[in-house]
């Protein structure tokens, strides 16, 4: 993972490389934006299964908003309504998005032991089950 520092929605700083590096833990970075309906559907679908998944696997979802300065003010109100159990990071300058060469969202990057072990682009109904099955194999 690149050495990029992002702020969370509650203004804490996180170094993407150093703060998400617990040994053998799966970190699922989902890149999303307030204007991206498939992104929101994916995060909602994962939320429905999240407590079961985290019981079965040592994993954590990190939702990375790529909203820029124009749409960033929509992030907090949206989060208030969603009640997602994830760490939410704000990539307002799109440093992480650029560092990972992400073209469009939704985009999922799974990291284990500081290595990217799985990448998925897009979301369709039921894709979260496919993601979970993939996580179980890693």
């Amino acid at each position: 993972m690149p050495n990029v520092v992002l702020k969370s929605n509650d203004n804490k700083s996180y170094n993407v490389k150093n703060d998400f590096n617990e040994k053998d833990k799966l970190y699922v970075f989902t890149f999303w934006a307030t204007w991206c309906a498939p992104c929101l559907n994916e995060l909602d679908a994962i939320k429905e299964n999240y407590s079961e998944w985290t019981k079965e696997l040592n994993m954590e979802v990190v939702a990375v908003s790529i909203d820029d300065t124009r749409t960033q003010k929509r992030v907090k109100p949206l989060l208030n309504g969603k009640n997602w159990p994830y760490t939410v990071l704000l990539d307002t300058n799109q440093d992480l998005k650029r560092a990972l060469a992400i073209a469009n969202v939704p985009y999922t990057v799974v990291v284990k032991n500081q290595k990217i072990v799985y990448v998925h682009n897009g979301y369709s109904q039921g894709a979260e089950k496919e993601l979970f099955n993939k996580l179980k194999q890693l």
Side-chain angles (χ1 to χ4, degrees):
M1 281 302 274
N3 195 2
V4 174
V5 175
L6 298 178
K7 293 263 192 216
S8 65
N9 59 317
D10 54 5
N11 218 23
K12 282 191 198 127
S13 289
Y14 287 88
N15 180 308
V16 176
K17 183 176 184 155
N18 300 330
D19 290 329
F20 301 102
N21 63 4
E22 186 183 309
K23 188 169 168 36
D24 293 334
K25 183 169 187 172
L26 293 168
Y27 294 97
V28 181
F29 290 88
T30 58
F31 290 80
W32 66 283
T34 53
W35 43 263
C36 168
C39 302
L40 303 178
N41 293 341
E42 178 177 45
L43 287 161
D44 286 341
I46 292 172
K47 177 188 168 191
E48 286 173 25
N49 302 289
Y50 196 59
S51 62
E52 287 166 38
W53 290 11
T54 52
K55 277 184 201 132
E56 194 170 330
L57 296 171
N58 183 16
M59 67 168 288
E60 178 181 340
V61 170
V62 181
V64 182
S65 163
I66 61 155
D67 281 279
D68 59 18
T69 46
R70 281 188 332 239
T71 57
Q72 184 189 8
K73 60 186 174 295
R74 297 189 205 143
V75 173
K76 271 199 171 115
L78 182 116
L79 291 174
N80 290 340
K82 293 292 186 186
N83 204 11
W84 289 333
Y86 321 127
T87 300
V88 176
L89 300 180
L90 309 173
D91 192 11
T92 39
N93 294 329
Q94 305 201 336
D95 297 332
L96 185 57
K97 179 184 177 221
R98 264 196 309 280
L100 293 171
I102 294 170
N104 50 15
V105 289
Y107 196 90
T108 304
V109 176
V110 180
V111 176
K112 182 177 181 180
N113 297 328
Q114 303 213 336
K115 288 189 179 65
I116 294 174
V117 290
Y118 178 69
V119 170
H120 181 76
N121 194 356
Y123 174 76
S124 56
Q125 196 74 43
E128 69 282 354
K129 291 177 184 68
E130 198 179 301
L131 172 65
F132 184 59
N133 288 332
K134 187 69 192 169
L135 293 174
K136 287 194 285 193
Q137 295 165 16
L138 297 171

